[in-house]
Amino acid sequence: FFEVARTMSRPERTGAPEQFYSTAEAKKYAANKRMNEVQMHMAERAVDLLQLPAGKPALILDAGCGSGVGGQVVASYGHFMIGLDISQAMLEVAESTDAGDVLKGDMGQGFRFRGGSFDGAISISALQWLLLPDDAQREAE
């Protein structure tokens, strides 16, 4: 398994997410049934781990919301989502799902929300982008 994982394509190794996720790539990502299924299961688990009170709608931040699958899951639990993503093309896909409100922003630069604004936060398949140097660091090397 690990050998296969090492040889698989890793988009985060190709450059910055806002450059990788073009309109065409965002549409391809959103149309990938297997990708959506995996994202949905991961988002369900992430929401479960928040241990939110039953029957009380919560406001959830989805950091790196991408195509909005996490927002669809959050909405299915009766909660509300604000998604943040660096890729305008991915945000356009997310907006078409009507699963929550989305904002363009770079999670690597921090958030400008007041403490306590959200009842919880999730991030599905986005944190790996933070492990690589940003464009400024790449150019300096």
Side-chain angles (χ1 to χ4, degrees):
F1 169 79
F2 293 108
E3 189 60 38
V4 171
R6 274 189 282 249
T7 61
M8 292 174 62
S9 173
R10 300 296 307 256
E12 64 273 12
R13 292 186 178 160
T14 65
E18 66 273 24
Q19 294 165 349
F20 177 79
Y21 287 111
S22 63
T23 300
E25 192 64 36
K27 287 179 181 177
K28 186 170 83 173
Y29 183 96
N32 185 318
K33 186 177 178 179
R34 175 72 179 135
M35 180 74 71
N36 282 300
E37 186 178 295
V38 169
Q39 297 284 316
M40 188 174 303
H41 289 299
M42 290 173 39
E44 288 169 349
R45 181 67 178 135
V47 173
D48 288 342
L49 287 170
L50 292 175
Q51 298 182 351
L52 297 167
K56 181 181 176 195
L59 181 60
I60 308 299
L61 173 66
D62 186 352
C65 66
S67 63
V69 173
Q72 293 171 325
V73 170
V74 167
S76 76
Y77 279 72
H79 303 306
F80 301 96
M81 187 266 312
I82 294 179
L84 181 76
D85 204 279
I86 197 169
S87 168
Q88 185 63 41
M90 291 296 270
L91 289 172
E92 289 168 9
V93 172
E95 286 175 335
S96 73
T97 68
D98 197 33
D101 295 321
V102 295
L103 305 167
K104 185 172 182 183
D106 182 351
M107 66 181 182
Q109 299 300 313
F111 306 119
R112 302 197 53 85
F113 298 109
R114 291 177 194 233
S117 295
F118 298 95
D119 299 301
I122 63 173
S123 186
I124 310 300
S125 296
L127 296 177
Q128 72 274 13
W129 290 95
L130 297 176
L131 300 175
L132 299 170
D134 63 22
D135 287 338
Q137 288 175 309
R138 279 191 211 78
E139 290 172 12
E141 292 175 351

